[in-house]
Amino acid sequence: MANDTSLFLGQFLRSPGTIGALAPSSQRLAAAVCTPVPERGEPTVVELGPGTGPFTAEIQRRLAGRGHHLAVELNEAMAALLAERFPAVDVVNGDAARLPELLAERSLGQADVVVSGLPWAAFPQQLQLSLMGAVTSVMSHAGAFTTFSYVHAIPLSRARRFRALLSERFEEVVAGRTVWRNAPPAFVFHARRPRPRTELPSTMA
């Protein structure tokens, strides 16, 4: 939507380190990122950095009224838009680092799926570690985590560090095919089964 693109661009110019994109993700990328959302049961799905909601819409389509969909958005304007656009979604204007607290407040226990739209490659190491620690601490052992990276960011040191962090924190990490019909082109990381803290190397614990 044109209005969404304008909002995204405006918020990016205000805070490029937290928005990380000039425009919303495409429907094709949303479909690839949200693949792990189960088609049955009552799953707890956590969405980080939903922005204007392209992943949110796909998650809601897949859930079809089941489970609990918690969306955590740091940007106040985007969180307000999201809450208005998706009244069935539990939208929180807050920090993803508070995930354990947010789930505890709702008596949700552990998350079955965590879908992330956060710009991991834009984050410094300490923030990557802090956020990933919050993510893995709320996931079930069989849980799935998905996020994406822009193709042009592959050579960046922060992007390489994030890829290494995924391998440290999850037993299985698979990079999906490139979604060329996205601006800019992107590919998806599918990670499963977070490692127990006792298995982590001392440098990453």
Side-chain angles (χ1 to χ4, degrees):
M1 298 180 188
N3 289 341
D4 287 5
T5 301
S6 298
L7 174 61
F8 237 97
L9 179 59
Q11 297 303 311
F12 173 83
L13 294 174
R14 290 186 179 188
S15 185
T18 58
I19 300 300
L22 294 171
S25 299
S26 69
Q27 290 183 350
R28 286 181 178 269
L29 181 59
V33 169
C34 299
T35 298
V37 176
E39 298 180 354
R40 294 184 176 87
E42 298 291 330
T44 295
V45 179
V46 174
E47 183 183 7
L48 308 179
T52 56
F55 296 172
T56 312
E58 180 64 16
I59 293 169
Q60 283 291 288
R61 186 188 72 79
R62 289 172 180 264
L63 287 177
R66 298 174 295 109
H68 191 108
H69 180 181
L70 173 65
V72 184
E73 173 56 58
L74 185 62
N75 183 276
E76 184 176 0
M78 289 185 176
L81 174 65
L82 204 72
E84 180 179 358
R85 183 172 288 174
F86 300 98
V89 178
D90 183 2
V91 179
V92 174
N93 176 209
D95 191 342
R98 294 183 57 240
L99 266 184
E101 179 183 344
L102 294 175
L103 265 68
E105 289 173 353
R106 292 159 174 77
S107 301
L108 288 176
Q110 295 179 310
D112 300 295
V113 178
V114 178
V115 172
S116 174
L118 297 176
W120 293 93
F123 294 156
Q125 183 178 22
Q126 195 53 49
L127 184 54
Q128 287 183 351
L129 290 171
S130 174
L131 290 173
M132 187 56 71
V135 167
T136 56
S137 70
V138 302
M139 292 180 64
S140 66
H141 176 65
F145 170 80
T146 58
T147 189
F148 69 95
S149 178
Y150 294 124
V151 171
H152 69 262
I154 293 175
L156 301 179
S157 60
R158 290 180 178 181
R160 294 198 304 269
R161 186 170 62 230
F162 175 66
R163 176 64 178 83
L165 179 60
L166 283 176
S167 295
E168 293 283 357
R169 297 299 173 94
F170 292 90
E171 294 179 4
E172 177 187 343
V173 180
V174 178
R177 293 181 179 180
T178 300
V179 179
W180 294 106
R181 296 181 68 175
N182 190 75
F187 61 93
V188 180
F189 284 119
H190 296 280
R192 293 184 180 275
R193 299 186 300 279
R195 299 181 190 274
R197 299 289 294 180
T198 54
E199 293 184 5
L200 300 179
S202 58
T203 56
M204 302 298 290

